[in-house]
C-alpha cells in the first residue's frame, strides 16, 4: 500500500502561521485515513517554529529550489530571516517521507514550505508566482511526486494507476 505525506494543516491541525488549519474535505482523505496511508507533518513545526508565527515568504520572487541552492532567503513579515528553519523543515519532511516509504506528497499550496503550484513573491502584497516551496522542492528533488491540495483528483488518479500497475 502506497503512503502519502500530507500537510498537517490539510488534516485539520491548527499549525499554520496564523494558528489556523485548512482542512481538505474530499472522500479520498477519509478513505486514505481508514487505510492508514497518510503520514502527517507540518514541516515548520518539525523544525521548532511556533504557532502562531509571523508570515514568511521567499524573497525576490524566488522559489524553494533557489533557497536550497543558497541563492534565496525566506524572510518573515517582521524582517526575521528564517531560511535555516525552512531548510531544516524540508530536511525533516524528507526524512519522515523516506522512513515511512512515502512516494507521494499532498501539500498546501502557497506556503513557502509546502507550496507546489505557487508561492508568494516575497513582497507580502499577496502577489503569487509559479514555483515550489522549500519542502516541496526538496521532496520533488528526491523523486517524491508532489500534489497540491487543488490537485487531489490527479493524485487519486495517479495512485490508482500506479497500484493497478503494481498488482498486474
Amino acid at each position: 500500500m502506497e503512503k502519502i505525506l500530507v500537510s498537517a494543516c490539510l488534516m485539520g491541525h491548527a499549525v499554520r502561521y496564523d494558528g489556523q488549519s485548512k482542512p481538505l474535505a474530499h472522500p479520498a482523505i477519509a478513505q486514505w485515513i481508514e487505510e492508514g496511508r497518510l503520514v502527517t507533518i507540518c514541516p515548520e513545526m518539525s523544525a521548532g517554529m511556533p504557532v502562531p508565527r509571523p508570515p514568511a515568504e521567499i524573497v525576490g520572487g524566488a522559489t524553494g529550489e533557489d533557497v536550497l541552492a543558497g541563492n534565496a532567503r525566506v524572510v518573515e513579515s517582521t524582517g526575521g530571516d528564517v531560511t535555516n528553519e525552512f531548510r531544516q523543515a524540508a530536511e525533516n519532511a524528507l526524512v519522515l517521507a523516506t522512513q515511512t516509504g512515502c512516494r507521494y506528497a499532498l501539500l498546501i499550496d502557497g506556503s513557502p514550505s509546502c507550496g507546489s503550484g505557487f508561492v508568494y513573491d516575497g513582497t507580502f502584497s499577496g502577489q503569487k508566482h509559479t514555483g515550489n516551496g522549500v519542502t516541496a522542492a526538496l521532496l520533488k528533488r528526491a523523486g517524491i511526486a508532489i500534489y497540491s491540495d487543488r490537485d487531489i483528483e490527479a493524485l487519486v488518479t495517479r495512485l490508482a494507476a500506479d497500484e493497478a500497475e503494481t498488482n498486474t
Side-chain angles (χ1 to χ4, degrees), residues 16-39:
R16 290 173 42 87
Y17 74 93
D18 58 3
Q20 301 294 310
S21 64
K22 281 233 173 171
L24 180 58
H26 190 281
I29 296 291
Q31 178 184 340
W32 294 337
I33 290 170
E34 187 175 306
E35 294 170 348
R37 288 182 188 268
L38 300 181
V39 176

Side-chain angles (χ1 to χ4, degrees), residues 10-99:
L10 294 176
M11 300 303 296
H13 300 275
V15 295
R16 290 173 42 87
Y17 74 93
D18 58 3
Q20 301 294 310
S21 64
K22 281 233 173 171
L24 180 58
H26 190 281
I29 296 291
Q31 178 184 340
W32 294 337
I33 290 170
E34 187 175 306
E35 294 170 348
R37 288 182 188 268
L38 300 181
V39 176
T40 303
I41 188 172
C42 171
E44 294 96 310
M45 285 196 68
S46 78
M49 297 182 79
V51 174
R53 58 188 170 269
E57 295 185 5
I58 301 170
V59 296
T63 65
E65 289 85 0
D66 298 316
V67 173
L68 293 173
N71 299 324
R73 298 177 307 124
V74 184
V75 177
E76 295 174 326
S77 60
T78 58
D81 187 326
V82 288
T83 304
N84 290 337
E85 289 87 341
F86 274 77
R87 290 172 71 101
Q88 183 63 57
E91 292 288 340
N92 294 347
L94 179 57
V95 166
L96 181 61
T98 302
Q99 287 176 342

